[in-house]
Amino acid sequence: MQKEQATESKFPLKGIFRKLADYRDTRLRIFRLKAVERAAGLIARVTIDVTKVVLSVFVLFFLSLALGYYIGELFGRVSFGFLAVAGLYLVLLGLGVCFRDRIKNLLTNLSIRRLAQRKADEMD
């Protein structure tokens, strides 16, 4: 009986279980915080990328308008200028279709390099 009491006082099971529960709760909190941090980082990157795309579309739109008017003045009719700009975009679209696989591979490789670089920067 004294031996059992001595063993319990040396290794209190309640204390160990309490510490294990605290450890588990702490690890769970850390996991949640890391998940929130990663999600916030992803949302921030996506938001920045979407903003870049939207701004690029607006810039391209206004530059296309300016080019259409400029070419229209050269041809003497504004409609011919816009027709020329549309033809230019059709040529670019045709080139994109013809070289679709090369463009896809190029963009994929660039994306992988960019993600790998970000991951390496995060580890440093």
Side-chain angles (χ1 to χ4, degrees), residues 41-61:
L42 178 64
I43 290 170
R45 282 192 295 260
V46 167
T47 303
I48 289 170
D49 290 343
V50 168
T51 304
K52 287 178 185 178
V53 168
V54 169
L55 287 175
S56 299
V57 167
F58 277 121
V59 167
L60 182 64
F61 175 73

